[in-house]
Amino acid sequence: MRERILAPSILSADFTKLGEEIKIVEKAGAKYLHFDVMDGMFVPSISFGMPVLKSIRKVSDMVYDAHLMIEQPERYLEYFRESGADLITVHLETVKDAKAALEQIHALGAKAGLAVNPETPVEGLYPYLEYMDMALVMTVHPGFGGQKYIEECTDKVAALYAEIQKRGLDVDIQVDGGICEETIDKAIQAGANILVAGSSVYKGDAYENAVKLMGHF
Ligand code: DX5
Ligand code: ZN
């Protein structure tokens, strides 16, 4: 069985004590830290970027998972890698040449991910599966934390998992958006093994919430 990993998204953390918020989920046993970068162009909101990543890099050895919701992400891959990203995910909708972008990430020494929005067919990822470490299926429209899981996306995860199995590839499947106690099981059953959770971790007691979510693994 592929390792199941919780990736708390600090988008929903309290930024006045970001270091502590990260330590809490690390202690709870989360292996990845999800870092949502938004540019106000590809998505409506603006979040944070390289200086914040660089600063929080010092607090933990977790895998820092940078999710780039930005136009022309190729411009910034080098800088996010330098700032401490271990895994960099770009959106299929934003890259000029997905294979080249994934190769560029690998050349920087990071793991590479490719994401699709809810309205983008998951088959769009298939030509690039050989070149990625992780496929990200968005389960909300990117741009904000705290949205509701889009049920139709579960089938996309299942189709992707079947394709990966059929081709004998070793590609992780990440789901992002609306993952909580009520939705995490369906995502896992469909084949997701890296579960992003923002509000369901950081709303309330982050330690307890993270432990509870990992109880579903
Ligand atoms: C959405 C982001 C998510 C977000 C998830 O645009 O990509 O990573 O933080 O938040 P929740 O878990 O609250 O849906
Ligand atoms: Zn994200």
Side-chain angles (χ1 to χ4, degrees):
M1 193 179 78
R2 294 175 309 159
E3 192 186 357
R4 288 176 181 156
I5 292 169
L6 184 69
S9 165
I10 54 166
L11 188 63
S12 295
D14 179 347
F15 298 153
T16 63
K17 47 173 185 165
L18 197 45
E20 287 167 47
E21 295 271 77
I22 293 167
K23 281 282 176 204
I24 291 172
V25 294
E26 181 178 42
K27 276 205 197 98
K31 298 263 165 54
Y32 280 27
L33 189 78
H34 191 77
F35 188 81
D36 284 306
V37 182
M38 302 179 182
D39 67 351
M41 296 287 287
F42 177 59
V43 292
S45 190
I46 297 176
S47 57
F48 36 61
M50 286 91 71
V52 175
L53 180 58
K54 198 167 181 184
S55 163
I56 61 168
R57 180 69 269 187
K58 300 187 274 281
V59 300
S60 165
D61 287 328
M62 275 191 277
V63 171
Y64 279 28
D65 157 24
H67 176 197
L68 304 188
M69 289 165 276
I70 64 178
E71 297 286 359
Q72 299 176 33
E74 296 89 345
R75 294 172 297 158
Y76 290 103
L77 299 174
E78 190 189 334
Y79 304 112
F80 278 101
R81 175 62 181 149
E82 272 173 18
S83 304
D86 301 300
L87 160 65
I88 301 177
T89 299
V90 293
H91 269 259
L92 180 63
E93 300 86 1
T94 63
V95 283
K96 207 159 96 196
D97 177 341
K99 178 172 179 272
L102 293 164
E103 285 174 346
Q104 197 186 334
I105 296 169
H106 280 146
L108 293 166
K111 285 192 173 186
L114 191 61
V116 281
N117 278 346
E119 66 276 11
T120 303
V122 74
E123 290 76 17
L125 295 173
Y126 294 1
Y128 310 108
L129 287 173
E130 268 84 5
Y131 309 106
M132 68 179 87
D133 303 288
M134 187 183 84
L136 165 53
V137 177
M138 288 304 302
T139 43
V140 298
H141 297 286
F144 303 97
Q147 304 180 74
K148 201 171 162 289
Y149 182 89
I150 301 173
E151 297 291 340
E152 291 74 31
C153 296
T154 310
D155 290 344
K156 292 172 73 177
V157 175
L160 176 62
Y161 185 61
E163 179 72 14
I164 289 169
Q165 294 289 100
K166 189 178 89 187
R167 285 163 55 182
L169 297 170
D170 182 19
V171 176
D172 288 319
I173 302 181
Q174 183 174 63
V175 283
D176 183 7
I179 298 297
C180 61
E181 289 265 34
E182 290 69 44
T183 55
I184 194 165
D185 290 334
K186 3 183 184 197
I188 291 173
Q189 273 156 25
N193 67 309
I194 303 186
L195 296 299
V196 175
S199 48
S200 67
V201 166
Y202 282 110
K203 224 172 120 194
D205 185 323
Y207 185 91
E208 254 175 42
N209 291 339
V211 168
K212 263 197 214 151
L213 287 169
M214 287 183 288
H216 292 255
F217 289 177

